Amino acid sequence: MNLYHLKYFVTLAHLEHYTKAAEQLSITQPSLSHAIASLEREINIRLFEKEGRNVVLTRAGKNFLTDIEKALALIDESINSIHLSEIGEGCIDIAFHKNMAASFIPNLARKFLNEHTGKNIDFKFHYDSESTEELIKGLYSKNFDFIFCSNKINEKNIEYIPVFKQRAVLLVPEGHPLADKESVSIDETLEYNHILYTKNHTLSEKLSSYFNKKESQTTISYKTEDVNVITPLVAGNFGISIVPENNSINLTGVKSVEISDLDWQNTVYMAYLKSSYEIPLINDFKKFIEENTINL
């Protein structure tokens, strides 16, 4: 379907006069008549009917006009978005796990915006994905430009950049005997009920292995994948919990304590789809991340 023919149709629909429409479009009247006739043949619908010296839309033509104006507006919006991205402007779509240390990502985005003042740049954040597999699918379907994930999946078309490392911390309720300590050893936590965080497999496996060796001293009161479930349980004095450090969770009624002897760190990666062509905005953000990652 010829895009110009659709634009000619919209102009004629509003002016209802071939000569006036042709003048506004800077084409001849026969060319306009030919274009409209060609469009009607292509879709097999009568779009106009004569009314004196003018033409008016048929009922089908009115419905067609509504849809075509929406479609042309979307096309114009898309073209404008592409033009913006070509000059280092536009929108960047970022996705990450909802249990991740999420404030780190908006803070990076804000720093990027501060370094590019005067440019029309926006971010969209997506944080509903439960797994890295879901995030990877979003990259392949072009729903996201970048994802932040805590494990690497071997995909030849995906590039990973290590961004920062998470350590594990102990969450205890306020007023707990361990709450005022700057740091504790794992052995100091064994006499208390534990809530086991199972979302991060390497951490949960390490803790489970350690607790199994100390089975007579340790009680696992709950297991959950959601750190936002753990914090109210800890605040309610239903147990203490060792979780990846996450400065975006609600710590009301909870204290975070360092663990002195837990040899565990979790690398968070930024991943993107490899491409032979990268628009300037995406390339600018990728370089920015590479320059602002913590030395790993």
Side-chain angles (χ1 to χ4, degrees), residues 7-70:
K7 292 182 177 180
Y8 294 169
F9 160 72
V10 171
T11 300
L12 180 59
H14 286 291
L15 295 179
E16 297 183 337
H17 196 282
Y18 271 96
T19 301
K20 292 179 181 178
E23 288 176 356
Q24 183 168 314
L25 293 166
S26 299
I27 60 175
T28 64
Q29 183 175 327
S31 295
L32 177 58
S33 298
H34 175 77
I36 297 301
S38 176
L39 178 60
E40 288 181 327
R41 284 195 303 272
E42 184 174 0
I43 63 176
N44 196 28
I45 294 174
R46 181 78 176 273
L47 298 173
F48 294 96
E49 56 189 0
K50 288 186 177 181
E51 190 176 88
R53 294 185 176 182
N54 292 0
V55 291
V56 294
L57 288 168
T58 63
R59 184 178 183 85
K62 289 181 180 180
N63 293 333
F64 191 62
L65 175 65
T66 299
D67 292 337
I68 290 303
E69 285 186 316
K70 291 178 182 177

Side-chain angles (χ1 to χ4, degrees), residues 244-260:
E245 187 175 32
N246 187 337
N247 55 11
S248 67
I249 61 176
N250 183 5
L251 292 178
T252 302
V254 173
K255 292 290 293 293
S256 175
V257 182
E258 291 186 14
I259 304 170
S260 60

Side-chain angles (χ1 to χ4, degrees), residues 77-177:
E77 182 181 339
S78 178
I79 292 172
N80 182 57
S81 176
I82 292 170
H83 286 164
L84 285 175
S85 64
E86 290 289 348
I87 60 173
E89 299 184 355
C91 183
I92 300 174
D93 282 89
I94 293 178
F96 48 88
H97 298 306
K98 61 183 180 181
N99 282 338
M100 190 174 287
S103 66
F104 177 82
I105 299 164
N107 288 343
L108 271 179
R110 175 52 56 191
K111 184 177 180 181
F112 179 79
L113 291 174
N114 290 341
E115 292 185 8
H116 293 77
T117 54
K119 286 196 171 185
N120 183 14
I121 300 173
D122 193 15
F123 283 89
K124 287 184 180 178
F125 299 107
H126 309 264
Y127 43 84
D128 296 326
S129 297
E130 295 285 351
S131 66
T132 299
E133 288 80 4
E134 285 184 38
L135 294 172
I136 294 293
K137 287 180 181 178
L139 284 179
Y140 277 118
S141 61
K142 307 296 177 66
N143 291 328
F144 314 136
D145 297 307
F146 299 99
I147 64 171
F148 286 81
C149 54
S150 56
N151 62 300
K152 294 171 67 173
I153 295 178
N154 188 20
E155 293 275 349
K156 65 178 182 179
N157 294 320
I158 302 296
E159 189 75 36
Y160 294 90
I161 299 175
V163 179
F164 71 99
K165 285 186 180 291
Q166 285 178 298
R167 59 177 183 166
V169 295
L170 175 70
L171 299 183
V172 299
E174 291 181 349
H176 190 275

